[in-house]
Amino acid sequence: MALAAVDYDSEHQVLSRKVELIKQIRERELYNQLDEYDPYPFQNRFLETTRDCSQTVLCAGNRTGKTKVGAFLAAAALTGRYPDWYQGRRFNGPVVVWAGGVSTESARDIVQAELLGTPGDPAALGTGMIPKDCIIDTQRKPGIPNAVAMAMVRHESGGTSYVYFKAYNMGNEVWMGRSCDMIWLDEEPPREIYTQAVTRTLDRRGMVYMTYTPEAGMTETTAGFFNDLRPGQALSHGSWDDASEDVETVVHKRKGHLTETAMTQILAAYPPHEREMRKFGRPTIGSGLVFPVPEEKIVCEPFVIPENYERIAGMDFGWDHPTAVCWIARDPEEDVVYVYDTYRQSKQTPEVHAAAIKTRPSWISLAWPHDGNRRDSMGNPGLAEQYRGHGCNLLPEHFTNPPATGEKKGGNSIEVGIMEMLERMQSDRFKIFLTQSDILEELRMYHRKEGKIQPLADDLMSACRYAVQSLRFAMPEGESQWKGDIKYPDLGIV
């Protein structure tokens, strides 16, 4: 009997130790989310942009984990606990961080919760991205239940970091004052608050980063990153596909959290005009889009262009805004147009552009706008003659739309070409190779304001319109009718 009691006690002790060990493991996982964080590849690419850029944006779809990666970046800087796999910016010592949300309530329920844990639950403090053993103290925000105004965080160096929680609806004054090392803006702020945030980080050579789904559409701030990216700025993207069960995380190769069933159910809850924005994190212009057609209906996988396809290119001249060329091919049997190649470059001479154009087949004719005939005040040749002098195969006459019945020439109306392209898109007769990211970028931003098409980052769209509206001159390989008919001027250009 005594032996049996000893055996029972021994087994009980082993079981107790196992239970205690499991409890410790679970508590470590619960209260040390920073060490447990395992990013998706798109999140990791966003983190890497912080190494060289002081302003960086992650525009991502809903439910992709954009706020979590934002919380990780702030927590790593506050604690100095950077994992080995991390390749982004590292601060050498304690930091001052501002973390902002749209309202005081959303700052509490989203930003504060991601960093510290569920608001109002004492047992949850430390279940956010900042480890429990690093949280020294917190100060409550007056008048907002369970909201924290500031938290003191223990840094690996032995010093103390500070994180302050702010909201956009608190006004510009709240975003003025002291300098910061890092500012995290979860959801897009008003323009004036964003500029204040950048100002607050300048003297410390700090950084500002935003994580959001562009629900407000093409705002001034969003347009700046999408259309006019400057040195020191970076833009990253993330869609549902980047967090789906077909994707593995970076460190532990876990499967993504979004299943096909979940994505279908979530998408069904959104209005049709919001679905692309919610899924892909792309800003939309709503009814102002020039081509309100789902991108999935337009893009296609690249393929080798068959010899019998008719080809032509359109060209738009530029200097400060880019010179752009768009090559298209038409299936003569199905009347489907394919945009298969593009070129876009600013602040370069015709000689440089011509060299790029001539890397493509020389028999393909180029449609060009009427300003190519314009000579300067010194009487120098217009751009069309200059490009011909460099050996480019421009059509004999400048671009016009196809002439109506009984007319010899068509006009230059933009709307006529837009309607032709839109009709083709809607009837599955206009496709863009998914490798042509530059023109797809312009397509997403191409919009109207008060009924007028906005001439912003539309160079490839214009070149594409010239090409589509010049299909009457398109020829298959070996049948170009223009090269031999044009007398190229002697401009002394080799």
Side-chain angles (χ1 to χ4, degrees):
M1 293 294 295
L3 181 60
V6 170
D7 290 342
Y8 174 80
D9 289 344
S10 176
E11 290 178 3
H12 181 70
Q13 291 171 357
V14 170
L15 181 60
S16 296
R17 285 196 295 270
K18 287 183 178 179
V19 171
E20 182 62 27
L21 183 60
I22 292 172
K23 182 180 178 181
Q24 292 176 5
I25 292 173
R26 288 179 176 173
E27 284 191 357
R28 174 173 173 76
E29 292 175 349
L30 183 63
Y31 292 109
N32 198 3
Q33 295 293 317
L34 185 61
D35 284 351
E36 295 296 317
Y37 182 67
D38 187 5
Y40 294 117
F42 86 90
Q43 294 169 326
N44 195 42
R45 289 192 292 271
F46 161 68
L47 293 171
E48 288 176 352
T49 66
T50 66
R51 182 177 58 240
D52 301 314
C53 295
S54 58
Q55 300 178 50
T56 183
V57 169
L58 174 60
C59 256
N62 292 112
R63 308 285 292 276
T64 56
K66 60 186 182 298
T67 300
K68 187 168 289 294
V69 69
F72 165 82
L73 188 55
L78 286 162
T79 62
R81 294 185 181 181
Y82 296 103
D84 293 338
W85 53 262
Y86 176 73
Q87 298 297 315
R89 180 170 178 180
R90 295 173 183 249
F91 291 88
N92 296 324
V95 294
V96 174
V97 175
W98 287 1
V102 175
S103 65
T104 50
E105 289 77 11
S106 65
R108 175 195 63 196
D109 297 339
I110 300 174
V111 180
Q112 176 187 321
E114 287 287 352
L115 285 173
L116 300 177
T118 304
D121 182 359
L125 186 65
T127 60
M129 200 59 74
I130 301 175
K132 184 177 182 179
D133 64 337
C134 292
I135 300 174
I136 301 172
D137 194 12
T138 62
Q139 292 182 4
R140 299 190 65 176
K141 187 184 294 292
I144 309 296
N146 304 317
V148 171
M150 182 272 291
M152 300 169 63
V153 180
R154 183 174 292 104
H155 192 271
E156 284 286 277
S157 65
T160 301
S161 293
Y162 297 85
V163 55
Y164 296 84
F165 297 95
K166 298 179 179 290
Y168 310 152
N169 67 352
M170 295 167 68
N172 288 357
E173 295 78 11
V174 174
W175 295 85
M176 300 177 183
R178 68 177 299 175
S179 300
C180 301
D181 298 287
M182 174 184 282
I183 296 181
W184 169 31
L185 303 170
D186 187 60
E187 299 307 335
E188 184 184 7
R191 182 66 180 179
E192 59 271 18
I193 287 180
Y194 180 73
T195 56
Q196 281 292 339
V198 172
T199 303
R200 299 282 73 79
T201 60
L202 288 177
D203 60 342
R204 294 198 183 197
R205 297 184 179 180
M207 61 176 288
V208 178
Y209 65 98
M210 296 190 287
T211 53
Y212 68 99
T213 300
E215 298 181 24
M218 189 53 66
T219 63
E220 184 179 359
T221 300
T222 297
F225 279 89
F226 273 79
N227 299 331
D228 191 22
L229 207 60
R230 304 295 179 88
Q233 295 180 327
L235 172 64
S236 302
H237 300 278
S239 71
W240 287 4
D241 294 335
D242 295 313
S244 73
E245 57 187 345
D246 296 327
V247 176
E248 292 182 339
T249 57
V250 171
V251 183
H252 299 300
K253 307 302 180 184
R254 299 168 181 149
K255 293 295 183 180
H257 67 282
L258 288 177
T259 64
E260 190 66 35
T261 300
M263 289 188 284
T264 301
Q265 292 174 345
I266 297 169
L267 201 62
Y270 295 127
H273 69 278
E274 290 186 4
R275 290 174 182 171
E276 281 213 4
M277 177 268 292
R278 301 288 185 183
K279 182 176 181 180
F280 296 103
R282 299 173 187 147
T284 60
I285 320 296
S287 61
L289 280 175
V290 174
F291 299 116
V293 181
E295 191 169 307
E296 289 82 356
K297 189 178 178 69
I298 300 171
V299 297
C300 70
E301 292 285 345
F303 59 86
V304 176
I305 304 297
E307 290 185 0
N308 69 314
Y309 277 31
E310 300 163 348
R311 294 203 245 181
I312 195 165
M315 183 177 188
D316 191 40
F317 303 121
W319 178 255
D320 287 325
H321 70 88
T323 290
V325 186
C326 179
W327 286 265
I328 67 173
R330 187 180 79 91
D331 179 347
E333 297 179 1
E334 302 294 334
D335 189 29
V336 179
V337 168
Y338 295 91
V339 177
Y340 68 89
D341 193 10
T342 57
Y343 167 81
R344 187 177 66 179
Q345 185 67 48
S346 60
K347 297 182 178 179
Q348 291 293 346
T349 63
E351 182 178 8
V352 172
H353 298 312
I357 292 169
K358 290 190 293 185
T359 62
R360 280 75 169 181
S362 61
W363 57 269
I364 300 174
S365 301
L366 286 156
W368 50 280
H370 64 88
D371 58 359
N373 284 327
R374 187 181 303 142
R375 293 173 176 264
D376 63 22
S377 58
M378 302 297 293
N380 292 316
L383 286 170
E385 289 187 42
Q386 292 182 48
Y387 278 96
R388 288 193 180 111
H390 287 297
C392 293
N393 185 17
L394 274 65
L395 288 172
E397 301 289 340
H398 68 74
F399 164 80
T400 65
N401 291 310
T405 303
E407 294 182 344
K408 292 183 178 181
K409 290 186 177 182
N412 293 322
S413 170
I414 295 175
E415 292 295 341
V416 170
I418 293 297
M419 288 302 105
E420 171 65 18
M421 292 173 67
L422 179 57
E423 288 176 8
R424 283 185 169 277
M425 291 177 187
Q426 293 173 331
S427 59
D428 288 324
R429 294 182 298 121
F430 183 93
K431 304 292 180 182
I432 301 176
F433 281 13
L434 56 78
T435 52
Q436 299 307 305
S437 57
D438 287 344
I439 193 170
L440 287 172
E441 175 186 279
E442 289 192 12
L443 180 72
R444 296 164 191 151
M445 303 301 110
Y446 203 34
H447 70 284
R448 300 177 187 271
K449 187 175 182 180
E450 298 178 354
K452 295 182 179 180
I453 294 176
Q454 299 302 292
L456 296 172
D458 63 345
D459 309 284
L460 282 170
M461 296 309 303
S462 296
C464 185
R465 177 169 54 83
Y466 297 147
V468 170
Q469 290 297 86
S470 300
L471 280 169
R472 62 194 185 278
F473 303 123
M475 291 287 172
E477 185 173 359
E479 296 185 24
S480 176
Q481 59 181 320
W482 305 114
K483 182 82 174 180
D485 296 337
I486 300 172
K487 183 178 181 181
Y488 288 85
D490 182 7
L491 302 177
I493 300 172
V494 179

